[in-house]
């Protein structure tokens, strides 16, 4: 594209906006709520030595009774894809088959690094988020493969029980591939967790949250900038909240305890979850498994990529209905059976040891900025990690087995959920600082005390909310494998457009 000299910045696309036509969209609040049952994805139990075969394909899925089926891209036959259930210490092999069509149905932006017009439109590579995996099997963004090809990946599962998930990670287009439906859960169990007596079987239920915009005929609509050859949007929010791929479903429960594995698989939406009437629930785990002890909550703010392991006790709600809310709107309904049932489950007051990582154990501190560049009308057009683009040389090279502090200076006005592959970490603290002073003189002036993470964020994490105007510090031990991995913002529109960087674990 030839740049017109009247625009001062190559980021300025507004002057040439050509008014893409937006289809008529549905207002989901006008659809009948709670008419569809909560879909439960199929569960795959891999057998030792026998690889799973999971194909990506185009299919259709009805998100609501009164809408036509939507075109989706799925792992297996549904969105979310099948839940893989693995055991800690038992390796799992998956053969991922790309059987997608060769044309994408969502708007690719060829200006984005990794999605140039000389690349095949449809590409995929699968990453298991939160898994400790050799670099060659991690799903590096440029390791994509095209329709007709497949890739075998091995997951050693040498880590504690956790709510992991798998999703597409293709350079430049993961935002579109996930929006199309390419994600699923990967539950890792271990002996310790199984010994606790937590609710299980039909009383353990996944809740995978996403949001979509829907056209009048029920199709997913991915919003565009209005510039036809540069359709990328800095953020994407839908007004239709889907739980396990269904819009405002209901779920019948017995008056007893349930365990819910909650995943925020949205591109850009943070969910603020609560039960109608601010009824209490219990959080027992976060991204990388159990907390040290259960935490009573009335609401929970979950960023894209984050998970929460929740216990809800419906025993005192027999015969009632109760809604799961996102802010002030219900996103699903629980219908509680009448009467009384035997509940043999337990929630022990101590879940496991989570030793606090000692700051003094770190041998290196890296100060990394989170920056935003706006265009001529102050629309954010580019977000970078430490001011660097994807293609710049690798600058973070932790030593295998060493512990480091990564100190994120968020210079933007948004929270960015920052995720590192391979590792688990703890949040050391968050501390407010003077952003303007930093921008002017690159010096840090704190404006308040450091805040340790609240109990529900004090366990092992792999993605955490890096707040605006704060310095958020992660303490990370680089265990497992050497090799090249990535770290990135989990707002997918950011990650797809340069808010992702390589790091390399060295011997
Ligand atoms: Cu959810 Cu790079 O990952
Ligand atoms: Cu990941
Ligand atoms: Cu971001």
């Amino acid at each position: 594209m030839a740049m017109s000299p009247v625009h001062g910045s190559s980021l300025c696309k507004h002057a040439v906006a050509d008014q893409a036509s937006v289809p008529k969209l549905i207002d989901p609040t006008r659809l009948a709520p709670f008419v569809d049952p909560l879909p439960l994805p199929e569960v795959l139990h891999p057998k030792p030595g026998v690889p799973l075969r999971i194909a990506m394909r185009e299919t259709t899925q009805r998100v609501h009774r009164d809408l036509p089926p939507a075109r989706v891209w799925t792992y297996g036959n549904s969105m979310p894809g099948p839940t893989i259930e693995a055991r800690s210490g038992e390796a799992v092999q998956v053969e991922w088959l790309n059987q997608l069509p060769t044309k994408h149905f969502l708007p690719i932006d060829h200006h984005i690094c990794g999605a140039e017009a000389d690349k095949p439109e449809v590409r995929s590579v699968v990453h298991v988020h939160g898994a400790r995996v050799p670099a060659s099997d991690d799903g590096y963004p440029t390791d994509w493969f095209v329709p007709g090809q497949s890739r075998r990946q091995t997951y050693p599962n040498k880590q504690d029980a956790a709510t992991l998930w798998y999703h597409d990670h293709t350079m430049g287009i993961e935002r579109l591939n996930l929006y199309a439906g390419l994600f699923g859960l990967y539950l890792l169990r271990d002996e310790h967790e199984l010994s606790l007596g937590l609710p299980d079987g039909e009383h353990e239920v996944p809740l995978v949250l996403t949001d979509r915009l829907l056209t009048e005929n029920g199709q997913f609509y991915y919003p565009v900038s209005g510039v036809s050859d540069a359709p990328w949007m800095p953020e994407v929010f839908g007004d239709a909240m889907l739980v396990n791929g269904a819009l405002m479903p209901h779920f019948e429960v017995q008056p007893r305890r349930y365990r819910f594995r909650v995943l925020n698989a949205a591109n850009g939406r943070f969910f603020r979850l609560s039960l109608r009437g601010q009824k209490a629930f219990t959080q027992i785990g976060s991204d990388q498994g159990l907390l040290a002890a259960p935490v009573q909550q009335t609401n929970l703010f979950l960023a894209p990529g984050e998970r929460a392991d929740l216990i809800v006790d419906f025993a005192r709600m027999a015969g009632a209905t109760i809604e799961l809310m996102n802010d002030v709107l219900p996103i699903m309904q629980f219908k509680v059976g009448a009467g009384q049932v035997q509940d043999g489950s337990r929630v022990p007051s101590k879940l496991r040891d989570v030793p606090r990582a000692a700051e003094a154990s770190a041998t290196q501190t890296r100060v990394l900025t989170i920056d935003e560049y706006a265009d001529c009308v102050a629309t954010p057009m580019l977000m970078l990690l430490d001011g660097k683009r994807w293609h710049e040389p690798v600058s973070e090279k932790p030593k295998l087995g060493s512990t480091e502090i990564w100190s994120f200076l968020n210079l933007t006005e948004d929270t960015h959920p920052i995720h590192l592959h391979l590792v688990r970490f703890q949040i050391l603290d968050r501390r407010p600082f003077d952003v303007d002073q930093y921008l002017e003189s690159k010096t840090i002036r704190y404006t308040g005390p450091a805040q340790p993470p609240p109990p529900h964020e004090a366990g092992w994490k792999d993605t955490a909310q890096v707040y605006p105007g704060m310095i958020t510090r992660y303490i990370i031990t680089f265990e497992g494998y050497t090799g090249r991995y990535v770290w990135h913002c989990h707002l997918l529109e950011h990650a797809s457009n340069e808010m992702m960087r390589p790091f390399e674990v060295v011997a």
Side-chain angles (χ1 to χ4, degrees):
M1 184 186 77
M3 286 310 300
S4 154
V6 291
H7 310 307
S9 153
S10 65
L11 295 173
C12 185
K13 306 266 169 49
H14 279 83
V16 292
D18 52 13
Q19 306 275 317
S21 63
V22 178
K24 259 199 137 227
L25 299 176
I26 277 181
D27 173 0
T29 61
R30 306 182 70 151
L31 290 164
F34 320 131
V35 292
D36 294 287
L38 177 73
L40 295 174
E42 175 195 7
V43 179
L44 301 178
H45 296 275
K47 293 184 195 59
V50 186
L52 296 174
R53 285 169 59 86
I54 299 179
M56 302 158 219
R57 50 174 82 101
E58 178 168 297
T59 179
T60 59
Q61 184 164 322
R62 202 183 282 278
V63 302
H64 186 275
R65 182 193 70 186
D66 299 329
L67 292 177
R71 162 151 53 163
V72 288
W73 286 5
T74 58
Y75 293 107
N77 297 316
S78 64
M79 174 201 75
T83 298
I84 299 173
E85 279 211 20
R87 289 292 283 265
S88 180
E90 291 177 16
V92 168
Q93 280 200 338
V94 185
E95 176 152 17
W96 303 99
L97 297 92
N98 184 339
Q99 297 178 353
L100 295 167
T102 53
K103 278 235 139 277
H104 216 297
F105 74 100
L106 297 174
I108 294 180
D109 186 329
H110 294 302
H111 288 90
I112 284 181
C113 168
E116 295 81 4
D118 64 345
K119 305 269 184 333
E121 259 192 32
V122 178
R123 301 169 283 132
S124 69
V125 59
V126 189
H127 166 64
V128 178
H129 179 131
R132 187 186 293 164
V133 169
S136 56
D137 289 312
D138 190 51
Y140 200 72
T142 51
D143 282 348
W144 45 264
F145 50 104
V146 297
Q149 294 182 330
S150 68
R151 187 65 48 87
R152 189 175 289 197
Q153 283 165 261
T154 302
Y155 306 102
N157 296 322
K158 286 188 190 143
Q159 61 189 106
D160 295 343
T163 308
L164 309 182
W165 64 299
Y166 61 93
H167 62 75
D168 187 82
H169 218 304
T170 309
M171 194 72 206
I173 54 169
E174 69 266 50
R175 63 194 179 106
L176 305 176
N177 288 352
L178 270 97
Y179 201 87
L182 291 172
F183 53 85
L185 279 174
Y186 186 113
L187 302 181
L188 192 56
R189 303 188 185 278
D190 65 17
E191 292 305 321
H192 170 71
E193 192 187 283
L194 291 166
S195 74
L196 296 177
L198 300 166
D200 62 0
E202 60 178 300
H203 309 116
E204 182 189 8
V205 177
L207 301 177
V208 179
L209 311 178
T210 54
D211 62 333
R212 295 291 181 269
L213 290 164
L214 299 172
T215 65
E216 275 198 317
N217 46 21
Q219 303 304 303
F220 291 178
Y221 175 69
Y222 188 97
V224 290
S225 65
V227 184
S228 51
D229 70 341
W232 177 81
M233 292 281 280
E235 246 134 50
V236 167
F237 303 108
D239 52 8
M241 311 300 150
L242 308 184
V243 187
N244 297 350
L247 181 53
M248 286 185 293
H250 68 265
F251 185 60
E252 288 175 17
V253 294
Q254 298 158 340
R256 52 157 292 153
R257 264 182 229 107
Y258 279 74
R259 179 180 185 187
F260 294 104
R261 305 284 196 126
V262 185
L263 158 66
N264 183 347
N267 281 40
R269 178 174 296 279
F270 291 67
F271 283 89
R272 188 178 295 283
L273 300 172
S274 65
L275 292 166
R276 167 99 64 190
Q278 297 293 106
K279 286 219 168 29
F281 57 88
T282 305
Q283 184 168 354
I284 58 169
S286 60
D287 309 331
Q288 286 283 321
L290 295 170
L291 300 170
V295 179
Q296 290 304 316
Q297 303 264 60
T298 51
N299 56 73
L300 178 65
F301 196 53
L302 207 61
E306 286 188 305
R307 288 87 71 205
D309 199 342
L310 305 180
I311 301 284
V312 179
D313 192 350
F314 296 102
R316 275 191 235 113
M317 304 174 210
T321 59
I322 181 155
E323 282 119 38
L324 177 65
M325 313 289 289
N326 173 43
D327 281 317
V328 296
L329 292 174
I331 59 174
M332 70 172 287
Q333 183 188 58
F334 298 104
K335 293 187 198 296
V336 190
Q340 274 197 337
V341 298
Q342 241 339 91
D343 185 352
S345 71
R346 301 189 312 130
V347 180
S349 57
K350 178 175 183 238
L351 295 164
R352 69 159 161 171
D353 287 323
V354 181
R356 289 302 297 158
E359 195 173 332
S361 65
T363 52
Q364 167 123 32
T365 295
R366 300 180 193 271
V367 176
L368 302 160
T369 58
I370 293 177
D371 318 85
E372 182 166 289
Y373 303 85
D375 71 357
C376 49
V377 291
T379 305
M381 289 307 287
L382 185 68
M383 272 81 38
L384 294 182
L385 298 171
D386 210 31
K388 298 188 182 84
R389 289 181 177 257
W390 167 258
H391 277 306
E392 292 179 52
V394 182
S395 39
E396 282 62 56
K397 295 186 178 173
K399 266 206 154 49
L400 182 65
S402 72
T403 298
E404 299 196 349
I405 293 170
W406 287 27
S407 184
F408 300 109
L409 275 62
N410 187 346
L411 307 175
T412 77
E413 282 169 11
D414 298 305
T415 296
H416 299 268
I418 302 294
H419 168 52
L420 283 84
H421 287 209
L422 177 71
V423 295
R424 61 180 188 178
F425 60 79
Q426 290 178 0
I427 301 171
L428 270 181
D429 50 28
R430 296 182 175 101
R431 190 165 186 188
F433 74 113
D434 186 333
V435 173
D436 293 332
Q437 176 173 328
Y438 184 84
L439 289 172
E440 267 162 41
S441 64
K442 299 277 180 287
T443 54
I444 293 171
R445 187 176 69 83
Y446 292 111
T447 55
Q451 300 156 18
H456 74 280
E457 285 189 301
W460 292 109
K461 301 275 294 164
D462 56 43
T463 308
Q465 298 174 26
V466 172
Y467 297 157
M470 296 248 201
I471 297 180
T472 301
R473 296 194 304 159
Y474 293 2
I475 184 161
I476 315 159
T477 300
F478 290 84
E479 290 170 305
Y481 307 95
T482 57
R484 194 168 289 192
Y485 294 89
V486 299
W487 63 288
H488 58 89
C489 177
H490 222 288
L491 302 179
L492 299 179
E493 283 62 37
H494 296 184
S496 283
N497 191 9
E498 299 284 357
M499 203 171 191
M500 178 163 73
R501 285 280 297 156
F503 72 90
E504 191 167 335
V505 181
V506 296

